[in-house]
Amino acid sequence: MSFTLAIVGRPNVGKSTLFNRLVGKRLALVDDQPGVTRDLREGDARLGDLRFVVIDSAGLELVEDDSLQGRMRRLTERAVDEADVCLFVVDARAGVTPADEIFADILRKKNAHVILAANKAEGRAGEGGVLEAYALGLGEPLRLSAEHGEGMDELYHILRPLAAEIEARRPGPEVDVAVSDEDAEAETYHAPSAARPLQLAVIGRPNAGKSTLINRILGEDRLLTGPEAGITRDAISVGTTFMGTPMRIWDTAGMRKKARVTDKVEKLSVADGLRAVRFAEVVVVLLDVGIPFEQQDLRIADFAETEGRAVVVAANKWDLEEDKPAKLNALRESFERLLPQLRGAPLVTVSAKTGKGLDRLHAAILKAHEVWNRRVTTAKLNQWLSAMTEAHPPPAPGGRRIRLRYMTQVKTRPPAFVVMATHTDAIPEAYGRYLVNGLRTDFDMPGTPIRLIFRDQGAKNPYKERKKSTPSRLRKHVEAGATRTKGKPRGGKA
């Protein structure tokens, strides 16, 4: 990317709408009420032939204490310091406010490249606000309508020379790290690389410590945290290297029971988090060790398994536990009893506050990812199937014998297997679970979702579709006899 653009301004001036316009996707949550965005969200923007990173920030507030708004402001100010270009957005319809004047003075001191944009400037209603924006002393305001896409051409012509200037100041070109063709061919399991980082989502109930855990992995306070429950709203993705493994980690909003979710923004936040799970390869279900395996935790874990994602269960706030051995045994017993569909999945204890247990979490994530990508040869599967059916033959309901003819793996991520059989409608679910548990044990696939499909082959006759034919010599003999007796009755007399 050639440069980084940070979008800042008061709450509800249209920053997230402009962000979605630049990235070409509805990534950021948008609503009429102010203060929806709280964290910094990054995206790959495209404007003409320009390619750059755009950052959507929280609305600037006139607060400097340790409250939620104060922490949001400090996070936004850090984004301004790190960005190459700052796009300061004001509301053309509301006009310039005293807060806008204060923030304009701050931006003049902090960032060399500041672009003033008057959003919602379509029609006559925004003309007055555009004229007032001249008084901010940041040059001629750019008339924009993020919702309707107006002013994008003008923004391109402003950014183009700035991009060239920023690129010229850099010491050298960026180097893309990629896996060589030889390495790619040699790997049966494609380990995460810089070109293909591991996609990880962290999900759980509100206030379980998801953002704190990700900040500990990143080694910096990148995500907004605090004692308040439900701080995170957007599903924020952050690229990092976790103990040598390239990853893209998704921080999601806390998921409460559906009946308790009445606020529109919270509904959007939960939907955004569920979408992040579908993008992920490995999902870390984060529990609060003080109240683990509540009903909502079980639903969240079941959702990740249903979506076919590799699952790692992590119990957070382990530093607060006094009797650790007894608590660990209780956690394992509850896990095996309440989540049988995730039998064998890794259960690790961590402390997001102190960083203890991150090495165990890293090892569990890599193991789950490798199992999720595992492939078993057809020959081994059929040898295994013969042994399994010999040890425990399928039932014969109504006297109809069920035959499991052969088995093959049709896909990975997660592993899926097809068994060709007869009378598949009569195979009980318990026998399917018997085979799935056997696959987990014998092929070392703990925890990962396994899809087992029975297809009815039936007792097909391979010669049924062929035309009946007579051997050649007999056919010639019959044809010769028919020629000699042509026109004569059966007795041989005329």
Side-chain angles (χ1 to χ4, degrees), residues 3-215:
F3 62 95
T4 302
L5 174 72
I7 305 174
V8 297
R10 290 186 299 105
N12 210 29
V13 295
K15 299 183 299 296
S16 295
T17 305
L18 181 58
F19 173 88
N20 289 342
R21 172 72 61 180
L22 291 173
V23 299
K25 300 176 184 177
R26 297 184 63 180
L27 295 182
L29 299 184
V30 176
D31 194 68
D32 291 337
Q33 61 177 288
V36 172
T37 302
R38 289 176 174 174
D39 278 292
L40 301 179
R41 176 187 281 277
E42 294 183 4
D44 296 332
R46 178 175 181 175
L47 191 61
D49 59 348
L50 293 180
R51 304 292 182 272
F52 55 95
V53 174
V54 61
I55 301 175
D56 183 24
S57 63
L60 287 166
E61 302 273 3
L62 292 174
V63 181
E64 295 183 357
D65 55 14
D66 287 332
S67 64
L68 178 60
Q69 288 76 17
R71 300 197 302 272
M72 290 163 57
R73 173 172 174 168
R74 286 195 293 272
L75 203 60
T76 299
E77 289 178 345
R78 194 180 74 178
V80 171
D81 291 335
E82 296 175 355
D84 297 312
V85 182
C86 181
L87 184 62
F88 180 42
V89 182
V90 298
D91 189 339
R93 299 197 174 189
V96 175
T97 66
D100 290 325
E101 296 175 354
I102 295 174
F103 296 141
D105 186 57
I106 294 174
L107 291 175
R108 270 195 300 269
K109 299 175 183 178
K110 286 196 172 186
N111 203 295
H113 298 293
V114 179
I115 301 172
L116 175 62
N119 192 31
K120 308 179 186 179
E122 69 276 12
R124 295 184 177 179
E127 291 181 357
V130 173
L131 294 175
E132 290 179 11
Y134 279 93
L136 294 175
L138 293 173
E140 181 180 355
L142 172 66
R143 298 177 64 111
L144 285 180
S145 174
E147 185 174 358
H148 301 288
E150 297 178 8
M152 294 296 109
D153 290 340
E154 290 79 359
L155 179 60
Y156 168 80
H157 289 296
I158 294 174
L159 290 176
R160 185 64 188 270
L162 293 178
E165 179 184 342
I166 294 167
E167 196 69 26
R169 287 204 312 263
R170 289 182 176 166
E174 296 180 358
V175 178
D176 292 332
V177 180
V179 179
S180 66
D181 294 337
E182 295 179 0
D183 292 339
E185 291 176 1
E187 291 177 348
T188 54
Y189 160 61
H190 294 284
S193 63
R196 295 175 58 181
L198 190 152
Q199 305 289 326
L200 178 72
V202 182
I203 61 176
R205 289 183 290 111
N207 216 25
K210 299 181 292 297
S211 299
T212 306
L213 176 64
I214 296 175
N215 281 341

Side-chain angles (χ1 to χ4, degrees), residues 472-492:
S472 57
R473 276 190 294 177
L474 180 59
R475 184 168 62 248
K476 290 179 181 179
H477 177 72
V478 171
E479 290 175 353
T483 303
R484 285 197 303 268
T485 58
K486 190 175 182 180
K488 297 182 181 180
R490 282 185 179 273

Side-chain angles (χ1 to χ4, degrees), residues 231-246:
I231 290 178
T232 303
R233 285 176 169 173
D234 293 81
I236 306 297
S237 67
V238 183
T240 187
T241 300
F242 181 21
M243 293 187 176
T245 304

